[in-house]
Amino acid sequence: MLTTLLKYRIRVQRLFRFSEDHTMLLWGAVVGLVGAFATISFREAIHAVQWMLTGKSGSLVEMGKGLQWYVRLLLPAAGGVAAGIFLALAKRFAVGASSDYMEAVAIGDGNIPVRQSLLRSASSLSTVASGGSIGREGSMVQLAAMAASFIGRITHFDPPRLRLLVACGAAAGLTSAYNAPIAGAFFVTEIVLGSIAMQSFGPIVVASVVANITMREFPGYQPTYEMPAFPAIFGAEVVFFVGLGILCGLASPLFLQLLAYAKRKFQKTKLPLPTRLGLGGLLVGIISIWEPQVWGNGYSVVNSMLHQPWAWTAVLVLLLLKLLATCFTMGSGAIGGVFTPTLFVGAAVGYLFGFGVHDLFPSATSAPFAYAIVGMGAFLSAATSAPLMAILMIFEMTLSYQVVLPLMLACVVAYFIARSIDDTSMYEITIKRNRDAKARLRLRGTRMRDLIKPADTVLPLTASFEEISRMFLEYPVKYVYIVDDENRYQGVVSLQDVTSTLLEKKDVGARPAVEFLRRDFVHVVTPDMSLGEALEHFLAHQGERLPTVESIDNPTLLGVVYKSSLLDAYFKLNRSDN
């Protein structure tokens, strides 16, 4: 069957005389369709599990409000235990390829294991459907990417094109989750791929658009967030949105550090996965006894803040409780997305900021909901290190040109403020890419002074033949370095010359090192020499090290540079460039 699929793929490509790029556009459309169905399947599965557990489906917050207090306490705990069991089973099948789609695209071969991914999705389903404070979009994107990987493997795609196909699937999944095809495409190119090139961006855009069209054809379709009309922003009010960007840039690293702290604390408990996730769910359940709005990913709460007036105290209390619930859920190891909770935090921070400035300048500033909208984008920009994606996502949600100016300013300011504090990001692949970029810059600026080691095989010009012989017996080297009384490098004595003298049985008793000296036989390196220049010297030298002097005019011996150190730095630079 696999061979037949491959033959048909090649036959169609030849029949229509499609190039590889044209073919990828068609496969992007196929993956967009499949990604939309994968997203719909996960969403319907959530509704089915909710109906089985409570007899209701839809908004988790509304569902939680209608339950008895003891059910709100125990349901997240039970869901956590079930999620832990599924996750433990998934770990038993974790052999070979990683199930994470970002790793499969960025550093893998595009292969996403089906069984492991399905078990992890079942774990996420258990957490989400039982009220865990986590996003559902993570598993939606993962399932869409897994489906794309499966299609690519059964049709025998080579690794580079398989990775691109998985990227198309991820974009389709995010588009289906948020009704934002442009932002979905830029999410994958900006965060996962790390660059925008038309060979990859074209198929990803096609996948996003097809996924969005598919979602719109289903009955009951509606955007995730129902955005109100954004007001016109004039004059000095732009300064307040810049201030909001600064606030989000400062708060975002704290939010991510808080999540990381919670993970470390849960991991230190050494509890089995089902127990650990059950404990996280129980803590969420305790909070939900008093505030059921901490359940779920925060969609309904954000929509309420955008359309109804809230007291600032209510927003602040809910923000703090939601942060705790998210830390308990994510920290316990639950599988899901933190994308939507991040949007909630940004909306709450923006609302509180907008409430404050509107209270101070009621006639010169917009209502708090406008700041909540911009806060969503600014906080997302800072947390993901992807300002372009954040700007496009909020713009697609509002479809308002009025939002563009304050949104762009806030997102860019938040991004740079957050990056100046910490390189932390919601996504490990972004952290790794930032780390690699820093390493690449550091390596490009590497000079030989960073690689200098002490030179142990050094003798003066007056050293006797016996001292030279002893040095060669003590150290497995080909050359002994010779210096004058002021430690200025003069040249080398070669092991070959010493061996020849001994074989010829010449009288060497009174011959000093200067008589065996080769002055320009070995190249020298200087502290300011670059990797490339030093590598050229090593290519013309058969030894494992070269002497390092202060300068050609001042040949004071500083030490040696080893070939292994030089090659290690050189190969690291090449790997980070690829």
Side-chain angles (χ1 to χ4, degrees), residues 75-378:
L75 187 58
V81 172
I85 294 172
F86 282 120
L87 190 56
L89 289 173
K91 286 182 177 293
R92 297 179 68 177
F93 294 110
V95 179
S98 170
S99 64
D100 183 71
Y101 73 92
M102 290 191 179
E103 290 187 14
V105 173
I107 59 178
D109 59 1
N111 182 12
I112 299 178
V114 174
R115 184 162 50 179
Q116 185 185 359
S117 294
L118 290 176
L119 285 170
R120 288 171 63 87
S121 297
S123 174
S124 178
L125 176 64
S126 302
T127 302
V128 171
S130 60
S133 181
I134 201 168
R136 63 185 67 176
E137 79 285 342
S139 290
M140 291 176 175
V141 177
Q142 181 68 35
L143 284 173
M146 180 207 72
S149 176
F150 179 74
I151 290 172
R153 281 185 286 122
I154 65 173
T155 50
H156 296 275
F157 272 51
D158 55 36
R161 293 202 305 150
L162 181 58
R163 287 196 295 268
L164 177 54
L165 202 66
V166 173
C168 292
L174 192 73
T175 295
S176 301
Y178 288 101
N179 184 37
I182 302 175
F186 273 90
F187 171 86
V188 173
T189 52
E190 192 173 10
I191 294 178
V192 183
L193 296 179
S195 63
I196 299 174
M198 281 311 300
Q199 288 83 357
S200 56
F201 190 61
I204 289 172
V205 168
V206 170
S208 298
V209 171
V210 170
N212 187 250
I213 293 172
T214 304
M215 294 296 294
R216 290 174 181 272
E217 293 301 315
F218 278 82
Y221 168 80
Q222 62 180 16
T224 303
Y225 295 103
E226 299 171 8
M227 293 288 185
F230 196 86
I233 305 299
F234 297 104
E237 188 177 5
V238 171
V239 176
F240 293 120
F241 287 99
V242 172
L244 176 58
I246 295 173
L247 178 61
C248 289
L250 294 172
S252 172
L254 296 176
F255 171 64
L256 297 178
Q257 290 167 11
L258 187 63
L259 293 179
Y261 175 79
K263 288 181 180 180
R264 290 195 300 271
K265 287 300 181 181
F266 270 94
Q267 288 172 353
K268 285 183 179 179
T269 63
K270 304 296 183 182
L271 294 171
L273 273 174
T275 307
R276 192 196 312 168
L277 269 73
L279 175 60
L282 181 63
L283 293 172
V284 173
I286 292 172
I287 297 174
S288 70
I289 293 176
W290 292 276
E291 185 52 85
Q293 294 188 101
V294 300
W295 274 22
N297 48 27
Y299 284 145
S300 58
V301 179
V302 171
N303 280 321
S304 177
M305 281 194 292
L306 295 178
H307 292 276
Q308 300 172 13
W310 278 57
W312 72 267
T313 51
V315 176
L316 179 60
V317 169
L318 182 57
L319 172 61
L320 295 176
L321 293 178
K322 184 67 174 176
L323 282 173
L324 279 177
T326 303
C327 285
F328 292 146
T329 305
M330 294 292 298
S332 65
I335 301 298
V338 71
F339 198 98
T340 312
T342 300
L343 289 173
F344 167 83
V345 175
V349 169
Y351 195 96
L352 290 171
F353 184 88
F355 194 97
V357 297
H358 190 68
D359 195 49
L360 291 173
F361 309 100
S363 60
T365 56
S366 303
F369 78 83
Y371 289 86
I373 292 173
V374 174
M376 292 169 70

Side-chain angles (χ1 to χ4, degrees), residues 467-498:
E467 290 176 300
I468 297 172
S469 302
R470 190 183 307 118
M471 183 71 73
F472 279 119
L473 289 173
E474 186 176 350
Y475 295 95
V477 295
K478 294 181 179 180
Y479 307 102
V480 170
Y481 303 131
I482 305 301
V483 296
D484 63 13
D485 294 338
E486 297 180 358
N487 196 41
R488 289 179 300 192
Y489 174 76
Q490 300 298 309
V492 299
V493 172
S494 169
L495 175 62
Q496 181 180 0
D497 292 343
V498 172

Side-chain angles (χ1 to χ4, degrees), residues 351-426:
Y351 195 96
L352 290 171
F353 184 88
F355 194 97
V357 297
H358 190 68
D359 195 49
L360 291 173
F361 309 100
S363 60
T365 56
S366 303
F369 78 83
Y371 289 86
I373 292 173
V374 174
M376 292 169 70
F379 205 85
L380 184 66
S381 170
T384 60
S385 295
L388 185 57
M389 179 274 299
I391 292 168
L392 289 170
M393 174 161 282
I394 302 303
F395 174 70
E396 284 189 280
M397 288 179 180
T398 60
L399 294 178
S400 169
Y401 284 104
Q402 304 290 348
V403 76
V404 172
L405 177 60
L407 180 64
M408 289 177 65
L409 288 173
C411 287
V412 171
V413 168
Y415 166 77
F416 280 106
I417 292 293
R419 285 294 300 273
S420 67
I421 297 173
D422 196 351
D423 280 339
T424 305
S425 171
M426 284 197 322

Side-chain angles (χ1 to χ4, degrees), residues 17-38:
R17 297 180 181 178
F18 287 153
S19 66
E20 292 290 343
D21 291 340
H22 293 153
T23 304
M24 286 308 300
L25 292 176
L26 292 177
W27 282 105
V30 172
V31 165
L33 181 65
V34 173
F37 278 104

